Amino acid sequence: MLKLYFSPGACAMASHIALEESGALYDAVRIDLKKGEQKTPAYLAINPAGVTPALETERGVITQNAAILGFIAQTRPQQNLAPVGDPFRMARFNAFNGWLGSSLHPAMGRLLFSRPPLEGEARTEAVEAVLVKLQLVEDGLLEGPWVMGDTYTLADGYLMVFERWARGADLLDPGRFAGLNAHLDRVQGRAAVQRVLEAEGLDAV
Ligand SMILES: N[C@@H](CCC(=O)N[C@@H](CS)C(=O)NCC(=O)O)C(=O)O
């Protein structure tokens, strides 16, 4: 059976939502980042990078949300969780998820999780860097009402993770980011997402 290693509220929630949306049978194993469980020898044997998510499959481990989402969508094409039959649209799906992982996530991580916390000019610059990226999504990367247009895909659950972080940090001004706010509410309203929030011990934000 598939086994997902996740940390509540962290980016692995995208993979957790993907599994739940797909209807796959899976186990979910909680890794406590604050306790450093991602750096134990047992977990490093699963993901040597020492981060979550990691997905154990019968063929081996897959890391990186973007790769896990593509795997889940392609192994369950009947669920229509990504445009798997259309190479161009699939490239767009992968590009969006790759951008989340390589651009928006690091910018938000620097702002929200730097230790010691950023202060002064460094913090101001980090806030601006995040807002510029959120604006990119608001202005066009989000086709609307879902990331890929009319149909929900697994990219929506991935974007939602960062929208949650942004709203939690008061960065999602409803006047400036009406599309992102509406998208976050729409994704959090999905039954599968609500099951994942409950399983991770979290509320909608
Ligand atoms: N791009 C990676 C990011 C993975 C990542 O940085 N995960 C964070 C949680 S959001 C983590 O496990 N951090 C623990 C650490 O850095 O010690 C992915 O999508 O899987």
Side-chain angles (χ1 to χ4, degrees):
M1 195 187 329
L2 295 169
K3 189 186 279 189
L4 176 72
Y5 295 85
F6 76 99
S7 314
C11 63
M13 190 190 282
S15 292
H16 201 170
I17 291 170
L19 287 166
E20 196 62 33
E21 294 276 6
S22 76
L25 285 178
Y26 67 96
D27 280 335
V29 179
R30 183 179 295 237
I31 299 293
D32 190 329
L33 299 181
K34 290 203 177 105
K35 288 188 185 157
E37 288 176 358
Q38 73 279 24
K39 307 295 186 204
T40 61
Y43 187 71
L44 290 174
I46 295 159
N47 182 1
V51 295
T52 58
L55 181 70
E56 274 183 358
T57 78
E58 60 186 15
R59 295 176 62 186
V61 174
I62 304 173
T63 60
Q64 295 290 328
N65 279 295
I68 293 171
L69 301 191
F71 173 79
I72 293 169
Q74 288 177 94
T75 48
R76 289 171 182 73
Q78 69 283 4
Q79 302 295 90
N80 202 24
L81 297 171
V84 295
D86 179 339
F88 179 79
R89 296 286 291 163
M90 196 61 191
R92 286 275 182 93
F93 171 85
N94 288 329
F96 185 84
N97 293 332
W99 179 82
L100 290 179
S102 65
S103 186
L104 183 59
H105 183 176
M108 294 202 78
R110 176 172 148 70
L111 173 63
L112 302 177
F113 307 125
S114 286
R115 292 295 173 268
L118 299 181
E119 290 177 0
E121 200 175 319
R123 183 178 155 74
T124 305
E125 281 174 14
V127 168
E128 191 50 30
V130 168
L131 292 177
V132 164
K133 292 178 196 300
L134 293 175
Q135 194 75 54
L136 271 180
V137 186
E138 178 75 23
D139 290 347
L141 291 185
L142 178 67
E143 292 182 19
W146 305 108
V147 169
M148 297 295 295
D150 292 335
T151 307
Y152 175 88
T153 68
L154 298 183
D156 291 291
Y158 196 7
L159 175 60
M160 186 214 69
V161 172
F162 305 114
E163 292 169 334
R164 281 176 57 89
W165 293 3
R167 187 177 277 175
D170 273 337
L171 294 168
L172 217 56
D173 172 8
R176 179 170 176 182
F177 298 116
L180 290 175
N181 275 285
H183 179 262
L184 171 54
D185 294 338
R186 200 174 296 116
V187 178
Q188 288 190 135
R190 291 178 70 83
V193 174
Q194 288 173 3
R195 290 195 296 275
V196 167
L197 289 173
E198 192 182 343
E200 297 200 3
L202 300 168
D203 292 321
V205 294

